[in-house]
Amino acid sequence: MTRPAAAVLLTGSELLDGRTRDRNGYYLGAALSARGFAVSHVLVSPDDPDGLRRDLRFLLDERPAVLVISGGLGTTHDDLTAETVDAVTDRPLADDPAAVRMVTDATRRVATRRGLELEGLLPEMARQARLPAGSRAIEPAGVAPGFMTCHDGTAIVALPGVPWEVEAMWPAVLEELATGAGAEAPATLSLRLYGWGEVQVAALLRGCATDRLRLAITASCGEVTVTAGYERSDAAASAQADALAATLASAGPVFSRDGRGVDQIVADLLRGRGATVATAESCTGGLLGGRLTELPGSSAYVAGGAIVYSNAAKRALLGVPADLLEAHGAVSAPVAQSMAERARSALAASYALSVTGIAGPDGGTPDKPVGLVFIGCAGAGETLVRRHEFPGDRATVRAWSVVAALHLLRRSLER
Amino acid sequence: MTRPAAAVLLTGSELLDGRTRDRNGYYLGAALSARGFAVSHVLVSPDDPDGLRRDLRFLLDERPAVLVISGGLGTTHDDLTAETVDAVTDRPLADDPAAVRMVTDATRRVATRRGLELEGLLPEMARQARLPAGSRAIEPAGVAPGFMTCHDGTAIVALPGVPWEVEAMWPAVLEELATGAGAEAPATLSLRLYGWGEVQVAALLRGCATDRLRLAITASCGEVTVTAGYERSDAAASAQADALAATLASAGPVFSRDGRGVDQIVADLLRGRGATVATAESCTGGLLGGRLTELPGSSAYVAGGAIVYSNAAKRALLGVPADLLEAHGAVSAPVAQSMAERARSALAASYALSVTGIAGPDGGTPDKPVGLVFIGCAGAGETLVRRHEFPGDRATVRAWSVVAALHLLRRSLER
């Protein structure tokens, strides 16, 4: 069975010129893929009437089963989605009674929260209830309703551009789209490795048959992810996937075979043992703590942490001895060990992670270059310390450090 | 003068199906815009030979001055950029001597860093040196060289997909492209407001003439940004921009008129006074500290912080009194005040920010709903505490909290 195609059009000049970093393309693409669509494009277009029409036509020309438009439903002059759908599919705009009710109700909710009285809709607000003829309004999460219409076999769905509104409105819409298109969630093999480069993985897989798989190898922050999608009914594909998984698991440092990321694995291991983790961060400045508390319910296993960016903070919050800092420097294995052990004890945690390094761009020396990071993990019996030299700029070094710390905790928990 | 057009093509199925969150589209678009190009599209396409050809043709059909392709230069079977450029522009692939040298040198550097001996290039590596005829190799930051070629008036540039490699290779390439296309960096008015919604700003601007401006209003985490781009030589546009700025500044809560974000403003204010800031974070779990240490050189003004996700951590690291927690609950103004004051004192900082709230999805009550966040800022003379109710999901509440904390610090510093 071929997967039905889906395309995504993101509108907004601010997404093209650096004002806003898009979140919806990633989110919508991931969700469509997981539900059985083949995502053919994510196209970001500026708020320009002619350009939007041409781009909408380009995507419709491929006749995808689904076309999701995000953005351009708001109150300002450059919100053009309804007009563009009208122009391309010949569906004149009119006040949609359901949408009028939705906008009015939502505006009233916002007004009440701010302690204001609603005295009727501003023209800017009412604009959001003008929909292409024959479309169905979708209940808004914020104020702007979405809409859905069908054109030459393509279900066109328009959603707002605000990410949390998209994420609130989307699941019900996706289920309806998938049912309508007969999309079948694919089988997916997903293996993650830590400690090998992409090229080593690619070389290992040269010996595997993969012609029936949608194979992809991606690398991020020192992790390599190998995924292979295939139809559930395809026995030959399933056999190829099994062989691939066996090859990787026997020769490579596979840490996940079920799609879970290291965050989730660490969370599950900690929770399963009733254990807690504390953090002591220098160059990551809190990012590791931020990452550990990203998952809902993380209060069950995150004890807390210390951000000890300066030597003074290392002494004040954790009591790292001044002579240790003096003798080895802040970026050293003994200091990483001390930070981890002292954070563990100060926060009465089962484990503690420490990160100390040189994220750059300044502060590197020939002995201790930018990218040098020591990571410690203190447990009940022992403290592991690892030395890394990460490539890239400040943000990259910090991101790799966070991932390396999570993996060191994972290894400690798996021992 | 019309701005030369630029388009960006990002290749990689992993960018479409949720495996990897793209960073390059944002980065390249922002840089092109700031240097005077009009970015017409960012198109993300899967690693599919036919699709890539069609998409490359679609973008070339518009005859942009510049087309930047990112991704698909690597070692694996789904790296197809050179092949696609060959197929669409009829430039057969061949080993490029400069590229062979670059790949060999880069591979040797990586091998040396890992303590390995280089015994010649694997076929996967050599593949990266096969370039379309007539193109020029671009020195790699990692291992894969980029290339540049000209086709029917469009400068086609191919770069790797790894963000830090792109960011290292790009500035020199951009300058060459801009010079070649005669791009002139535009004048840009940029005002940022905090405390108003997008719709209030739009209503205020209804009275302003903006027909000669490229006006955009965007909202993110409680901030609204109004930007207007125009040609430096256009006096009428310049007058419209001045009037717009005056209207906003007199009626709205403008905090930035020079393009700086709140991060940079706070950093500059702290640095200018030789002041430092500490943090005490509950629901943000370290994100605020991570944000404050994002800028290079932040060690000059970040004293450190405490991640006090649990009540036990609030007591252990900061000494927040148990009876205060008991009487008011962890999410309360008195606890926010105590956290800020105690972090300031523990870390001997000039200022300290605290965040305590309910990020959700669980833990909300009718009295203290999900999204309720108290933010404190302790300074020498006084401690400010603000109560917020933020909309959205866990990630959104945490992101808005970080921004609100930065603004509270800004206000304290500006008093």
Side-chain angles (χ1 to χ4, degrees), chain A residues 19 55 216 285 289 293 305 307 394, chain B residues 19 41 216 285 289 293 305 307 394:
Chain A
R19 275 170 286 148
D55 296 342
T293 54
I307 303 174
R394 181 178 178 83
Chain B
R19 276 170 287 149
H41 293 95
T293 55
I307 303 174
R394 179 176 179 84

Side-chain angles (χ1 to χ4, degrees), chain B residues 43-405:
Chain B
L43 175 58
V44 192
S45 298
D47 303 310
D48 157 57
D50 294 336
L52 279 175
R53 279 176 216 147
R54 196 194 55 228
D55 296 342
L56 182 57
R57 281 194 198 100
F58 170 69
L59 295 175
L60 285 175
D61 271 354
E62 294 290 310
R63 307 186 69 101
V66 166
L67 173 63
V68 184
I69 308 174
S70 167
L73 297 183
T75 57
T76 66
H77 71 284
D78 50 11
D79 287 310
L80 297 166
T81 295
E83 287 81 349
T84 305
V85 171
D86 166 16
V88 172
T89 70
D90 194 20
R91 288 173 165 74
L93 301 189
D95 286 339
D96 180 279
V100 170
R101 177 190 57 71
M102 291 172 187
V103 173
T104 308
D105 289 355
T107 309
R108 183 169 294 126
R109 277 198 302 275
V110 172
T112 304
R113 207 170 55 204
R114 298 195 179 163
L116 304 170
E117 196 95 358
L118 181 66
E119 299 168 7
L121 290 182
L122 292 171
E124 283 85 5
M125 304 303 291
R127 192 167 186 281
Q128 299 176 106
R130 290 181 65 77
L131 304 187
S135 48
R136 202 182 80 222
I138 301 171
E139 191 72 48
V143 172
F147 65 84
M148 193 183 299
T149 187
C150 202
H151 177 75
D152 274 358
T154 297
I156 301 178
V157 177
L159 297 172
V162 180
W164 74 263
E165 297 182 17
V166 171
E167 289 164 26
M169 296 163 74
W170 176 242
V173 170
L174 173 61
E175 204 42 50
E176 182 178 343
L177 294 171
T179 306
E184 199 186 316
T188 305
L189 173 76
S190 168
L191 289 103
R192 296 175 192 230
L193 302 89
Y194 183 73
W196 274 21
E198 203 174 357
V199 67
Q200 287 167 282
V201 174
L204 177 63
L205 294 186
R206 263 189 297 174
C208 293
T210 58
D211 55 291
R212 301 192 69 81
L213 305 176
R214 292 186 295 274
L215 179 67
I217 305 169
T218 56
S220 170
C221 297
E223 296 181 346
V224 176
T225 302
V226 178
T227 62
Y230 56 95
E231 309 320 315
R232 289 182 187 283
S233 52
D234 184 341
S238 174
Q240 287 189 351
D242 290 347
L244 183 89
T247 302
L248 281 168
S250 68
V254 172
F255 70 87
S256 171
R257 307 178 64 156
D258 57 8
R260 285 183 306 162
V262 66
D263 307 67
Q264 189 66 57
I265 291 173
V266 159
D268 293 345
L269 285 168
L270 287 167
R271 208 190 286 268
R273 306 200 184 163
T276 59
V277 62
T279 49
E281 302 182 60
S282 182
C283 65
T284 46
L287 292 179
L288 176 58
R291 180 80 172 262
L292 284 167
T293 55
E294 204 174 291
L295 296 175
S298 48
S299 57
Y301 51 84
V302 175
I307 303 174
V308 289
Y309 207 57
S310 63
N311 281 353
K314 289 180 184 71
R315 291 193 302 268
L317 280 184
L318 295 175
V320 175
D323 55 358
L324 198 71
L325 290 162
E326 182 98 1
H328 303 280
V331 179
S332 64
V335 168
Q337 175 169 351
S338 172
M339 286 169 61
E341 290 173 354
R342 283 162 185 274
R344 179 171 179 269
S345 142
L347 285 150
S350 323
Y351 294 88
L353 289 168
S354 65
V355 185
T356 179
I358 301 164
D362 304 317
T365 65
D367 274 2
K368 297 190 173 180
V370 169
L372 176 67
V373 179
F374 289 92
I375 295 180
C377 180
E382 59 177 352
T383 301
L384 307 176
V385 178
R386 293 284 180 274
R387 179 187 196 278
H388 297 271
E389 276 189 49
F390 295 126
D393 62 11
R394 179 176 179 84
T396 306
V397 169
R398 293 179 7 127
W400 283 61
S401 299
V402 167
V403 172

